[in-house]
Amino acid sequence: MKDIYILGIESSCDETSFSIVKNGTCEISTVISTQIDIHKKYGGVVPEIASRAHIKNITFVLEECLEKAGLKIEDIDAIAVTYGPGLIGSLLVGVECAKTLAFLYKKPLIPVHHISGHIYANNLVKRLEFPLIALVISGGHTELIYMEKDYSFKKLGGTLDDAVGECYDKVAKVLGIEYPGGPVIDKLASEGKVTYNLPIPLNDNTYNFSFSGLKSAVINLVHNENMRGNKINKEDLCATFQDVVIKSLTKKTMHALEEYKVKNLILAGGVAANLGIRKKFQELCQENDINYIFPSIKYATDNAAMIASSGYYAYLEGRRADLTLNAISSTELK
Ligand code: KG4
Ligand code: ZN
């Protein structure tokens, strides 16, 4: 069979990224230009600044990606782009770029859902095996997805309020940690002990999650301790917070694996870079004889390699968009 080269484009939040992936699993070149340093001083992503930065960067990132691969756009079989969900202005930059390239070079245009990209980041580690359960944990999402085969997504549950990454970032803020706080909390947690008392949110038998109450509990705890003049032990508070997050995520995920009789688990999304979360799942999967994959740290957070990988399977499915493709800020995975 002829090799298929997909050019992936990702610009849904604060990373401008291009990647070329061969046959869905073989990464040829990826370039990620992150805007973290620009947004840091505001304590989070500022949408208008993000879209402007994408416009400034996009052609340079594309050129660098092609140069690294030693390929020209003529050599590419199809162009896959994140059309949603995400920040509308940011998404539009990637979508317009993809449409322009597809039109100019007469290439098929493949619309890719951002969450499917996070799931297929694992396909670059090891070819996905089905059926599987995907736990998608990122700055914008917390979802449990059942997949019977490629490009078949059944949502079992999700967060009723904040996403887990959002909760990490907000807890970080109240502890005076710079955006994005997830990686720093992860590190502090590994140096602390579980000494504080925080509630496990939505500790029931559904597949839904809730993180806004946990966030408020941490904020209240910090304020109360400050009012009493007590010093917060950041390491211990992070360890306690992360322990509660892990308990919530593992309980629901292990329950889903059992109920659906699934032997494959993948973690996906930026929070899948969390070492504490990865390690706990590793232990549980070993105990329960579950095959477990998590993305490499580089491809846990937003990148275009995951979009190109997902785009390959969408391409095989015959999914195509025409030049009326529009960016959508909020859209279900299907
Ligand atoms: O997937 P992603 O790049 O963007 C979205 O699609 O939302 O995820 C970014 C999120 C941020 O909230 C960041 O704090 C979190 O992933 N994150 C982490 C870690 N690394 C990144 N959260 C916890 N522990 C980490 N090590
Ligand atoms: Zn993402």
Side-chain angles (χ1 to χ4, degrees):
M1 207 171 108
K2 177 188 170 301
D3 288 331
I4 303 289
Y5 290 82
I6 306 284
L7 174 70
I9 307 176
E10 161 62 38
S11 71
S12 67
C13 190
D14 58 343
E15 267 87 28
T16 319
S17 180
F18 282 82
S19 176
I20 298 166
V21 170
K22 185 174 82 177
N23 301 332
T25 52
C26 176
E27 184 197 358
I28 307 291
S29 79
T30 301
V31 181
I32 306 169
S33 165
T34 179
Q35 305 171 11
I36 283 180
D37 282 342
I38 303 175
H39 298 288
K40 230 174 205 169
K41 55 179 169 292
Y42 305 103
V45 178
V46 183
E48 183 57 31
I49 296 176
S51 40
R52 282 166 196 249
H54 284 303
I55 293 171
K56 216 168 127 190
N57 292 339
I58 200 150
T59 48
F60 297 110
V61 182
L62 168 62
E63 277 169 14
E64 194 183 329
C65 177
L66 290 167
E67 199 177 306
K68 261 177 79 178
L71 292 170
K72 299 193 288 299
I73 298 187
E74 287 84 344
D75 304 320
I76 303 293
D77 293 282
I79 294 161
V81 63
T82 307
Y83 68 95
L87 301 172
I88 193 72
S90 292
L91 286 164
L92 274 170
V93 180
V95 168
E96 289 308 315
C97 173
K99 290 201 294 192
T100 308
L101 294 175
F103 174 70
L104 277 177
Y105 294 91
K106 299 187 175 45
K107 302 289 178 189
L109 179 62
I110 322 274
V112 174
H113 192 284
H114 185 72
I115 298 285
S116 87
H118 276 303
I119 290 173
Y120 276 91
N122 287 282
N123 200 60
L124 296 159
V125 179
K126 189 168 171 284
R127 176 72 181 110
L128 300 183
E129 285 178 45
F130 302 99
L132 63 78
I133 297 279
L135 174 65
V136 183
I137 39 179
S138 75
H141 304 274
T142 308
E143 293 182 7
L144 267 172
I145 313 265
Y146 171 80
M147 288 178 76
E148 203 173 76
K149 54 184 172 63
D150 278 309
Y151 258 77
S152 141
F153 307 104
K154 180 180 169 186
K155 182 172 164 180
L156 305 181
T159 183
L160 302 178
D161 40 60
D162 290 358
V164 62
E166 188 182 351
C167 185
Y168 265 92
D169 295 337
K170 287 180 177 160
V171 164
K173 205 168 178 177
V174 77
L175 294 175
I177 298 165
E178 271 190 336
Y179 171 84
V184 183
I185 292 191
D186 191 12
K187 182 168 178 294
L188 291 174
S190 72
E191 295 159 5
K193 286 195 286 299
V194 178
T195 54
Y196 289 93
N197 215 342
L198 291 170
I200 300 176
L202 212 66
N203 197 13
D204 60 12
N205 285 327
T206 69
Y207 294 123
N208 290 325
F209 301 92
S210 164
F211 289 104
S212 88
L214 176 60
K215 169 194 71 190
S216 305
V218 175
I219 294 171
N220 289 340
L221 190 151
V222 171
H223 287 169
N224 288 339
E225 292 295 87
N226 284 344
M227 296 243 290
R228 291 193 191 108
N230 295 337
K231 201 172 171 300
I232 293 283
N233 182 320
K234 278 193 193 177
E235 287 80 3
D236 287 356
L237 184 53
C238 289
T240 311
F241 166 72
Q242 185 146 302
D243 181 63
V244 169
V245 169
I246 291 175
K247 284 193 171 119
S248 170
L249 295 176
T250 52
K251 175 180 170 163
K252 309 263 162 151
T253 308
M254 298 316 284
H255 179 205
L257 286 162
E258 198 185 319
E259 189 173 322
Y260 284 80
K261 298 188 177 28
V262 169
K263 285 287 175 196
N264 299 298
L265 170 68
I266 61 173
L267 294 194
V271 183
N274 185 286
L275 298 178
I277 296 175
R278 286 172 180 239
K279 189 161 157 263
K280 188 66 198 174
F281 273 111
Q282 184 117 44
E283 285 166 20
L284 290 170
C285 287
Q286 222 154 21
E287 276 166 29
N288 291 280
D289 202 18
I290 304 282
N291 300 315
Y292 165 57
I293 326 178
F294 49 84
S296 61
I297 300 267
K298 184 175 174 199
Y299 298 129
T301 47
D302 291 350
N303 67 85
M306 66 186 202
I307 303 303
S309 176
S310 175
Y312 172 74
Y313 298 95
Y315 176 84
L316 295 185
E317 283 259 309
R319 294 190 184 211
R320 302 285 184 272
D322 61 23
L323 296 178
T324 62
L325 178 68
N326 207 351
I328 311 178
S329 59
S330 173
T331 166
E332 282 293 316
L333 173 60
K334 49 184 185 321

